[in-house]
Amino acid sequence: MRVIGIETSCDETAVAVYDQFQGLLSHRLYSQIAMHQEYGGVVPELASRDHLRRLLPLAREALTDAGSDSESIDAVAYTAGPGLIGALLTGAGFARSLAYAWGKPAIGVHHLEGHLLAPLLEPEPPEFPFLALLVSGGHTQLVDVAGLGDYRILGETLDDAAGEAFDKTAKMLGLPYPGGAALARLAEGGIAGRFDFPRPMLDRPGLQFSFSGLKTAALVALRGRSLDDQTRADVARGFQEAVIDTLAEKSRRALRLTGHRRLVVAGGVGANRKLRERLAVVASESGAQLYFPRPEFCTDNGAMIALAGCLRLASGAPGRGLGLGARANWPLGPLGSE
Ligand code: KG4
Ligand code: ZN
């Protein structure tokens, strides 16, 4: 089974080829970040137009790198949602046209399922079942993963996603969009303890998150202060530590609640080194093993979509066609029957 995967949910155009037995054969990605940076965030219409420009050359390159042609591809997987509707439709239209022309099935993949399964791209992949901490620009969720397509959300954010809070705080610190990774670098030179921000929701039972108050606390801390480099670094450090403490403690509680022995961290914020270090401690103290994808497969990529499509095809439950095939809002839950 060999699947080409296409990702266009936001500001990355990505195409990859995944083989059931040989693993990942190729992956190509074009990031639109430079284009959106001058606006301080993603401009949906520009994103859709740029996906259209990049898809065909990227698909050609990914196929050539994989030594594949249309004959050796068994299905075309694409991100069907959630995401920016115009961007999703561009990818869906392209993917479904390819599938139609090649006479192969098209598989609409849930973007978050792609993120959840990304650690399976690594040499020592986790087995099912596992607990997943999904932390991206759009989502923050703890998910009980019983098996392929068998997902149950245990807790999620009530307002901002962790990555969104990173990006908004980074903006206040004068960093370009998306500022998560830049904020993490700035925090390295910060003095611990100078800014002690609240740990949202830690005093409450349950597995929900909330990050908008923390972002406001950072804003209040910055107000009326001279923003010298040391102060910016100290705020970045205080903010990052508060986010990581919260994610780590809720993950610890979820491991205790579910009894899972495997913890998977996925999504863009999963690329954060300090978060990984803390989760490694949480996992070992909970008798669990930590798994994460390499940083480039934490953020949006085509490899995770090709992999998810391939696993779905191999399982015999690839999901039925979805009309034009894209949904801006699509809650994660048990998948496969839609
Ligand atoms: O998964 P992703 O590429 O896109 C979504 O599906 O949202 O995640 C992007 C998010 C952005 O908010 C970005 O700032 C954040 O991940 N991010 C980081 C780091 N690298 C990316 N946040 C904190 N530390 C990082 N090293
Ligand atoms: Zn994503």
Side-chain angles (χ1 to χ4, degrees), residues 27-107:
H27 64 104
R28 289 272 180 165
L29 182 142
Y30 177 82
S31 171
Q32 305 177 351
I33 282 176
M35 181 179 74
H36 297 294
Q37 239 161 18
E38 65 175 294
Y39 304 97
V42 178
V43 183
E45 179 63 20
L46 293 182
S48 313
R49 285 167 191 251
D50 208 52
H51 285 312
L52 202 55
R53 265 194 293 275
R54 309 285 170 188
L55 272 168
L56 191 56
L58 279 177
R60 281 212 177 96
E61 288 165 12
L63 283 169
T64 306
D65 293 352
S68 284
D69 55 19
S70 58
E71 288 303 307
S72 52
I73 297 288
D74 296 296
V76 182
Y78 65 96
T79 301
L84 300 171
I85 190 63
L88 290 167
L89 283 170
T90 309
F94 178 76
R96 295 175 75 90
S97 305
L98 262 192
Y100 180 74
W102 292 351
K104 306 287 162 72
I107 302 172

Side-chain angles (χ1 to χ4, degrees), residues 16-329:
V17 178
Y18 186 88
D19 184 278
Q20 186 183 7
F21 300 109
Q22 295 171 43
L24 188 64
L25 298 181
S26 67
H27 64 104
R28 289 272 180 165
L29 182 142
Y30 177 82
S31 171
Q32 305 177 351
I33 282 176
M35 181 179 74
H36 297 294
Q37 239 161 18
E38 65 175 294
Y39 304 97
V42 178
V43 183
E45 179 63 20
L46 293 182
S48 313
R49 285 167 191 251
D50 208 52
H51 285 312
L52 202 55
R53 265 194 293 275
R54 309 285 170 188
L55 272 168
L56 191 56
L58 279 177
R60 281 212 177 96
E61 288 165 12
L63 283 169
T64 306
D65 293 352
S68 284
D69 55 19
S70 58
E71 288 303 307
S72 52
I73 297 288
D74 296 296
V76 182
Y78 65 96
T79 301
L84 300 171
I85 190 63
L88 290 167
L89 283 170
T90 309
F94 178 76
R96 295 175 75 90
S97 305
L98 262 192
Y100 180 74
W102 292 351
K104 306 287 162 72
I107 302 172
V109 171
H110 196 295
H111 182 76
L112 299 183
E113 177 174 51
H115 276 304
L116 284 182
L117 299 177
L120 274 63
L121 291 161
E122 301 304 337
E124 286 173 30
E127 285 173 21
F128 296 121
F130 55 77
L131 172 74
L133 173 68
L134 194 75
V135 269
S136 72
H139 296 85
T140 300
Q141 299 179 335
L142 278 160
V143 186
D144 188 341
V145 179
L148 183 69
D150 196 350
Y151 313 126
R152 192 165 57 94
I153 294 178
L154 302 170
E156 61 189 327
T157 183
L158 302 175
D159 40 59
D160 290 352
E164 192 181 355
F166 261 96
D167 293 343
K168 288 176 177 170
T169 306
K171 195 172 186 175
M172 293 177 217
L173 292 167
L175 300 168
Y177 178 86
L183 188 151
R185 275 194 300 278
L186 184 63
E188 278 168 25
I191 297 165
R194 182 167 166 217
F195 291 96
D196 192 16
F197 291 119
R199 270 57 176 159
M201 310 290 282
L202 274 198
D203 52 346
R204 295 195 211 167
L207 300 171
Q208 307 294 80
F209 301 94
S210 164
F211 292 109
S212 70
L214 180 55
K215 173 196 67 191
T216 310
L219 182 67
V220 171
L222 288 168
R223 198 174 285 156
R225 235 178 246 279
S226 83
L227 281 190
D228 57 280
D229 287 350
Q230 189 59 51
T231 301
R232 289 169 64 244
D234 295 347
V235 169
R237 178 152 182 174
F239 168 83
Q240 177 172 265
E241 282 177 356
V243 174
I244 291 176
D245 271 358
T246 310
L247 294 173
E249 178 53 26
K250 295 275 168 164
S251 300
R252 182 195 305 277
R253 289 183 198 172
L255 281 172
R256 203 183 310 138
L257 182 82
T258 57
H260 280 317
R261 310 303 292 245
R262 287 175 280 268
L263 171 63
V264 155
V265 56
V269 183
N272 187 287
R273 197 170 48 83
K274 291 280 179 206
L275 174 63
R276 290 174 173 219
E277 287 171 8
R278 266 302 284 292
L279 290 174
V281 174
V282 166
S284 88
E285 286 174 358
S286 309
Q289 183 148 4
L290 179 67
Y291 298 85
F292 42 75
R294 70 195 84 164
E296 64 182 313
F297 293 157
C298 279
T299 46
D300 291 347
N301 64 85
M304 66 185 193
I305 303 303
L307 165 80
C310 191
L311 293 180
R312 290 207 150 259
L313 192 67
S315 76
R320 277 185 274 128
L322 293 165
L324 228 192
R327 288 196 214 172
N329 297 307

